[in-house]
Amino acid sequence: MTATNELPAVAVSIDDAGRRVLTHPEADTVTPGELVARATAMIPVLRERASATEEARRVLPETFDDFLRAGFFRIVQPRRFGGFEMDMETLQRVLVEIGRGCPSSAWTLGILAGHSWWAAQFPEDGQVEIYGNEGVALLPTGIFGRGGSARRVEGGYLLSGRWAYQSGVDLANWLGCGAFLEDSDPPVALSFIVPRDDGQVIDDWHVMGMKGTGSKTVTIEEAFVPDARAITLASVEAQETPGSEVHANPLYRTHLMAFISIEVTGAAVGAAQGAVDVLEEMGRTKPVRARGGGGGETATFEMSRPSFRRRLAEAKTQADSARTMLFAESARLMQVSRDQAATGEKMTREQVAEVTLHQARIIQMSVQAVKQAFIAGGTSATAQGHPMERFLRDVNVIATHQVLRLDSAAEAWGLAHYGL
Amino acid sequence: MTATKLDIIRQRDSEGRVVLTHPEAASITREELIARARAMIPRLRERAAATEEARRLLPETVQEFTDAGFFRIVQPKRFGGFELGLDVLEEVVIEVGRGCGSSSWALAILGGHSWLAGLFNEEGQCELFGDEGHVIIATNLSGNGRASRVDGGFELSGKFVYLSGCDAANWLCVGAQMQEEGPDGPWIYAAIRPEDATIVDDWFVLGMRGTGSKTVLAEKLFVPEHLTLAQKAVQDQEPPGRYIHQNPMYASPMLGFLSIETTGAAVGVALQAVDVLEEIARTKPVRTRGSNAVTAYVYETPIFRRRFAEARSLAEAARTLLLSDARDLMARVLEYAPQGRKFSGEELLTYTMNASRLVDMCVQAVEHAFAVAGTSATVEGHPLERCFRDIHMLSTHNVYRIDQIAERWALAHFGLPG
């Protein structure tokens, strides 16, 4: 990392084929382990900023700067456009560490870093424009058709719509928007990337937990979008997007739904790990006072109580199981992409639903871990601003997500399995 | 099936040491072993009721396991084994468990303990593995026997409970306290022949009936020195075998290895319950109240699908976690052994605690399957009622009782006595 506040400059060049290439100075040197170490080093400062992040209802500018400097948004971004082109497991390992400090910041990072992969699905011209000179493409997304409508015009589309839950929109320089083509029958779903300034942000993110994600509503009125920044959802479903031809790495042939189901799970696992961290500290520092003993000197701490130790161990094994499962599933998806790139096979609806089902399971394990830690933490850990009460709110809000809810994930998988 | 005499190749190496080589040792793969186990599932399922009734591993199943090489998976190559990892053993144990929980448990113990034999000293291993490298070792390692020093070895007496698979075994290995040195004194593991001991037919239990985990009595048996292992050496992760075999697997800490070893049986039972539920789904009709007309099959009902997905996701998660931990132990042994680094108590108890966590997930998986399958699956002999009894039975094992494991882990973590 550089000592100054300067961001590492991305080199712009033209390759032998005359294509524009962006190269990050760390592209050949940075390792997944180094990125995870950078994330681990941020935990204390993220935890300090967590209350202010909630209050701001967005990721703080200083956290955003830290993430930019650490290169976190480039983890699954194509090398050709200034990325590190690593894998989902690396992204999730970073997210879990960030989540131990601040789940809201982790979630936002998961969305924005994950969607620098999404931008790589677009036509080559579009990608050149989107990644720009810096190779920074930060876009929250309402990827799917719902929310918008698009009218065909010469050279592109006129897009209008309203998209809720745009996590990280305050940090974005682009927006991802799904829309249905006007008057199409059967309905044609399209997905666009438009400049951030084409949209209006409505400051409506007032929720119980994950307050810092700033998942606000965005509206757009009749913005022109050229063809280069439009793709059909049919090409996404078929795993044959224009971008999948631009990049050789099978990473860019991964099924969208499978990819984005995993994208943010690290935030939930990070909350679980964070709750265990906090409880472990309480074990060593929270005094146990004898009944009626007043506030006198204490010789013992929570760790001396068997009931405390029981809950800590339970929380830890749940949180660690969730983490193991998340990394294993991330690696598995990457393996599927590599295998299928070799054979030309596509993921079945059931395979995709299974990825999501496992994410729902991991999130449930994270919820259970936090619950155990919360109970053992006692009433003092419910004081507003205490990390434990924040982890409880955060992980439970994640578990309500419409795709990652166990009920909906289970039903989606069951229907796919039986071909219903 | 007839007992096939294997062509084990017996040679001496340049130092004059005996080397046994299994004809498949160089060619056998993880995939092949898993495929053999998978092919057995229907037969194991068919035999499951008879296995329960016999309250032991059926001889034909022992023969099939022997022929498939399952007892040799973690056995030293030098003594006729395949010397593959604990993760490979678990994958096989899981597949077998999809057919029969009891057979899977017994295989885990008996197959896993060919690793244990690899911890003895040179002379001990030569005797244990014999000419064929065919060892089937049932154990109780908790040290509740009595041993006294005698000329050339020990005199062993005691009552040892829960020796899973003892009817199939050609060796028994038990733990015993040294009598002369008081209750806190050292203890040993001693290998004895089943014919020198008495097996008491007392395995009458709720589930896992086919493991035949019976009591063994030993009375004043002479055990030569080389057929014993000092428990202290094992606990210190310094058993003699660690310096006999190149493979660092034989430097694995016993607690870590054994915590993982049998857990595949739980995962297998959970997956079996999911398999059975899947079969029920497509064949069990839903009838309208007051009519015999079949309106649908249960898979067409959302409530069924919800439970089915829940059971499956729990069972699959348990499998992923178990194999991750097995691979993690093997990877760490590989890293630690050359450095002479030992596992901490906390590290080892983490494996145990994870095992208890994933067994609990297996219990939940089976409970979901059981709850949604309905009363017809509670008929005696139905695989689902057997899975239900087996998984609950298994979860009562000492190693999987989360309350005590959690406490031991946390005491180790905080460096508290206990």
Side-chain angles (χ1 to χ4, degrees), chain B residues 315-337:
Chain B
E316 289 291 347
R319 166 156 58 186
T320 299
L321 291 171
L322 173 63
L323 296 178
S324 290
D325 260 15
R327 288 182 194 124
D328 181 79
L329 177 65
M330 294 294 97
R332 268 200 233 196
V333 164
L334 198 63
E335 183 193 334
Y336 288 5

Side-chain angles (χ1 to χ4, degrees), chain A residues 96-133:
Chain A
V96 169
E97 295 304 294
I98 299 299
R100 288 168 68 182
C102 177
S104 285
S105 300
W107 177 280
T108 309
L109 173 61
I111 295 279
L112 297 178
H115 294 175
S116 67
W117 168 91
W118 170 238
Q121 304 298 319
F122 281 70
E124 189 164 358
D125 290 356
Q127 293 189 43
V128 169
E129 184 187 356
I130 293 162
Y131 290 112
N133 286 331

Side-chain angles (χ1 to χ4, degrees), chain A residues 279-280 283-284 303-310 312-314 316-318 320-322 324-325 328-329 350 354 357-358 361 365 406-411 413-415 417-418 420, chain B residues 277-278 281-282 299-300 302 304-306 308-310 312-314 316-318 320-321 324-325 346 350 353-354 357 360-361 364 402-407 409-411 413-414 416:
Chain A
L279 191 66
E280 205 277 339
R284 297 175 191 277
M303 68 177 179
S304 66
R305 301 217 289 216
S307 58
F308 174 90
R309 295 194 296 266
R310 173 71 177 76
L312 173 65
E314 178 89 35
K316 179 192 154 58
T317 176
Q318 292 266 17
D320 285 357
S321 299
T324 300
M325 184 78 190
E329 277 294 297
E350 182 180 356
E354 185 174 3
L357 178 61
H358 286 316
R361 161 68 46 217
M365 292 163 78
L406 188 55
D407 288 282
S408 40
E411 180 61 350
W413 178 81
L415 290 171
H417 179 77
Y418 287 112
L420 299 171
Chain B
L277 197 60
E278 163 94 74
R282 295 181 191 273
Y299 76 88
E300 293 169 278
F304 174 87
R305 293 194 299 267
R306 176 69 177 78
F308 179 50
E310 178 92 34
R312 187 170 185 285
S313 104
L314 281 161
E316 289 291 347
T320 299
L321 291 171
S324 290
D325 260 15
E346 183 180 351
T350 301
M353 195 163 68
N354 288 347
R357 152 74 26 228
D360 188 55
M361 294 168 74
Q364 289 179 43
I402 182 92
D403 290 280
Q404 60 198 44
I405 299 309
E407 176 64 345
W409 172 83
L411 289 173
H413 176 79
F414 288 116
L416 295 171

Side-chain angles (χ1 to χ4, degrees), chain B residues 261-282:
Chain B
E261 186 184 82
T262 44
T263 310
V267 175
V269 170
L271 288 168
Q272 183 187 157
V274 174
D275 292 343
V276 171
L277 197 60
E278 163 94 74
E279 289 154 26
I280 292 174
R282 295 181 191 273

Side-chain angles (χ1 to χ4, degrees), chain B residues 279-289 291-301 304 372-374 376:
Chain B
E279 289 154 26
I280 292 174
R282 295 181 191 273
T283 54
K284 187 179 174 179
V286 179
R287 292 193 169 83
T288 320
R289 200 175 282 261
S291 153
N292 270 332
V294 173
T295 51
Y297 290 92
V298 290
Y299 76 88
E300 293 169 278
T301 61
F304 174 87
V372 77
S376 59

Side-chain angles (χ1 to χ4, degrees), chain A residues 153-216:
Chain A
V153 294
E154 199 188 324
Y157 301 87
L158 273 185
L159 173 70
S160 299
R162 180 186 179 94
W163 297 269
Y165 305 133
Q166 300 299 296
S167 301
V169 68
D170 296 297
L171 317 181
N173 56 357
W174 295 93
L175 302 170
C177 307
F180 287 108
L181 185 61
E182 265 181 30
D183 305 324
S184 58
D185 187 29
V188 173
L190 296 158
S191 203
F192 302 100
I193 293 180
V194 302
R196 160 72 177 74
D197 291 343
D198 284 1
Q200 297 287 323
V201 177
I202 301 169
D203 188 8
D204 59 356
W205 184 244
H206 301 274
V207 284
M208 179 185 96
M210 299 301 277
K211 291 182 180 182
T213 61
S215 305
K216 300 166 188 176

